[in-house]
Amino acid sequence: MKKFTIENALICLTGIFPLSVFVQMYNNSLNRFVFIALVIALVFVFFSEALREGSKITAASVFLVLASIAISLYAYYLTRTGLINFNDAFYLPFWTLFLCYFAKRHEYIEEYIETHGKVFASFVALSTTILLLFMVTNHSYAYFGRHRLASGAFLLIVESLLLFQQTADKKYLLPLLICSYVIFNSTSRTYLIMLLVLLIVFYYRWLNNKLYFYISIIPLLFLFVCLVASSDMANYFEYKQVGNFDTLGSITSGRTVFWEADLRLFQSGSTVEKLFGHGFNAVYYANASVIALIYAHNDFLNVILSTGIVGLTIYFLAFIYYMKTMVKYAHAGISLLIVISFLFMFNAFFNGQYNYPAATISMLYLYMYLKEGAHK
């Protein structure tokens, strides 16, 4: 039994994060506490590990983390009227810290989960129970939770798949079924497509005879399409006039309309604003001028308007650093890793990967699940 450490607490916080997302619709306090605790713990363990002799934390990753903190502090300084979303100030540092730290500590984390399987399994069981309770007592729960709830459900799926792979216990497939139902009912097209990709990956890894996979995948995909077509989700894949938007704007729920406004703001900025950003509220005000006071629903626009080209460069460098390290670790086959990387960047482009901490955390457990040679 490993003694209590901040790093062990950090792992537990990632395990319980789906639960904090599920209760967020009724009370935001738990999620805010868990997220802030995650950030504080990450700062502590990252720099403690970086200063340790023989550490795997590189000087380049330390520079990226410090740069992300510095540019976020500058963006906070520019946001003179108060933050519209309190968490905006933490998203980029969290993204960079998370990717740079866990890229080098994945083996310890996997060992901790295997050693403390019952503890981690209890987090999955509790999160699943609460989610099911909310779904039963409030039939509109998934719909009103939308992307936020779908991100928590996606994380819980990945955590349960990792436990299923480690134990071969079929009870861990129950969260997969429940969370798939939740994502389906959330009407979030982005997470529905992410779920489909994940289910295909799971099905491929689960079947020992790959011939069965290739024979059955087309009928199963056809069944999936039929289920979507016969549900309320189908309305979100059809053209439906939204406000005064054009056809493309209606299909994308206004995204192309306010993305254009975001790009205009970036192009009209000074050289300093293009390099270092406008502050965290700028994207909300740009979107409010054409639709509503909302974020960009696109990581790249969110980051470049808030923290400029410098911030966007940090964002991509952290992701590339993580990918490069985890490709060596997972040994899952480059084609499969490309598919999964596309999955996360797809979410980043159409919804938001870095500003949904549950989606960011899911990256760690998904790569652990993909690790070649793990038993089923």
Side-chain angles (χ1 to χ4, degrees):
M1 178 70 70
K2 293 182 181 295
K3 65 179 181 179
F4 174 82
T5 65
I6 299 296
E7 186 170 40
N8 295 346
L10 177 61
I11 298 169
C12 291
L13 286 170
T14 63
I16 203 66
F17 200 85
L19 175 63
S20 73
V21 175
F22 299 153
V23 301
Q24 192 176 10
M25 179 174 164
Y26 299 110
N27 191 304
N28 193 42
S29 299
L30 178 62
N31 182 260
R32 178 161 291 188
F33 170 80
V34 173
F35 179 57
I36 292 176
L38 269 172
V39 174
I40 293 173
L42 266 174
V43 170
F44 179 84
V45 297
F46 179 84
F47 288 106
S48 296
E49 178 64 19
L51 294 172
R52 185 179 63 83
E53 186 176 353
S55 171
K56 294 182 179 180
I57 303 295
T58 64
S61 64
V62 173
F63 175 79
L64 279 178
V65 168
L66 291 175
S68 70
I69 294 173
I71 195 67
S72 296
L73 286 173
Y74 179 70
Y76 180 75
Y77 166 76
L78 293 177
T79 312
R80 303 177 187 278
T81 56
L83 292 171
I84 291 174
N85 181 1
F86 171 81
N87 288 344
D88 281 340
F90 296 93
Y91 287 144
L92 184 60
F94 176 77
W95 169 265
T96 311
L97 273 166
F98 189 90
L99 296 184
C100 290
Y101 181 73
F102 284 116
K104 296 299 185 180
R105 294 294 288 170
H106 49 76
E107 292 178 349
Y108 177 86
I109 299 159
E110 189 170 19
E111 178 190 348
Y112 179 87
I113 294 173
E114 289 177 348
T115 306
H116 298 74
K118 291 183 178 179
V119 175
F120 203 80
S122 67
F123 295 151
V124 170
L126 180 59
S127 298
T128 304
T129 302
I130 294 298
L131 179 61
L132 185 60
L133 177 64
F134 288 162
M135 284 294 295
V136 171
T137 56
N138 183 354
H139 297 302
S140 300
Y141 171 76
Y143 174 77
F144 287 112
R146 299 304 301 277
H147 302 301
R148 179 179 64 247
L149 179 62
S151 71
F154 188 83
L155 172 57
L156 185 56
I157 288 175
V158 178
E159 290 180 352
S160 61
L161 286 181
L162 179 61
L163 290 173
F164 172 68
Q165 181 166 263
Q166 290 180 344
T167 65
D169 192 333
K170 290 183 174 59
K171 71 183 179 184
Y172 294 117
L173 296 181
L174 182 60
L176 171 64
L177 295 174
I178 294 174
C179 291
S180 296
Y181 178 79
V182 168
I183 291 174
F184 194 86
N185 281 273
S186 72
T187 67
S188 170
R189 293 170 295 180
T190 305
Y191 279 98
L192 180 69
I193 293 172
M194 292 173 66
L195 172 65
L196 176 60
V197 173
L198 183 57
L199 290 176
I200 292 173
V201 170
F202 166 72
Y203 186 53
Y204 179 83
R205 291 175 63 84
W206 180 63
L207 284 177
N208 291 322
N209 191 327
K210 303 309 178 191
L211 179 61
Y212 292 160
F213 170 83
Y214 293 113
I215 292 174
S216 60
I217 190 62
I218 298 301
L220 288 174
L221 286 174
F222 177 75
L223 177 61
F224 185 87
V225 171
C226 289
L227 286 174
V228 172
S230 62
S231 70
D232 292 338
M233 179 71 81
N235 296 328
Y236 293 86
F237 286 95
E238 298 173 353
Y239 169 72
K240 183 179 181 181
Q241 184 66 38
V242 179
N244 296 317
F245 301 158
D246 57 15
T247 300
L248 188 58
S250 294
I251 293 173
T252 61
S253 299
R255 281 174 174 79
T256 54
V257 175
F258 56 79
W259 286 349
E260 185 180 356
D262 296 337
L263 288 171
R264 283 199 303 269
L265 175 61
F266 174 75
Q267 291 170 349
S268 66
S270 65
T271 300
V272 172
E273 288 172 332
K274 287 178 179 177
L275 284 174
F276 302 106
H278 297 260
F280 295 114
N281 288 348
V283 65
Y284 293 93
Y285 294 139
N287 293 340
S289 67
V290 293
I291 180 170
L293 197 68
I294 56 176
Y295 73 105
H297 290 71
N298 179 299
D299 277 3
F300 319 133
L301 289 173
N302 247 33
V303 175
I304 204 168
L305 286 181
S306 299
T307 55
I309 294 173
V310 171
L312 189 60
T313 302
I314 293 169
Y315 172 93
F316 278 118
L317 287 177
F319 182 75
I320 293 169
Y321 176 80
Y322 182 78
M323 281 294 302
K324 182 179 177 181
T325 306
M326 296 305 279
V327 164
K328 295 179 181 178
Y329 158 69
H331 303 298
I334 191 64
S335 60
L336 189 56
L337 287 171
I338 289 174
V339 169
I340 300 304
S341 299
F342 165 78
L343 184 153
F344 288 121
M345 287 297 100
F346 174 81
N347 186 34
F349 189 84
F350 285 104
N351 184 44
Q353 177 71 19
Y354 93 123
N355 57 359
Y356 282 88
T360 300
I361 295 170
S362 68
M363 297 170 67
L364 169 67
Y365 293 112
L366 185 56
Y367 277 105
M368 286 185 179
Y369 170 67
L370 290 175
K371 185 178 180 182
E372 194 173 75
H375 67 274
K376 297 173 184 173

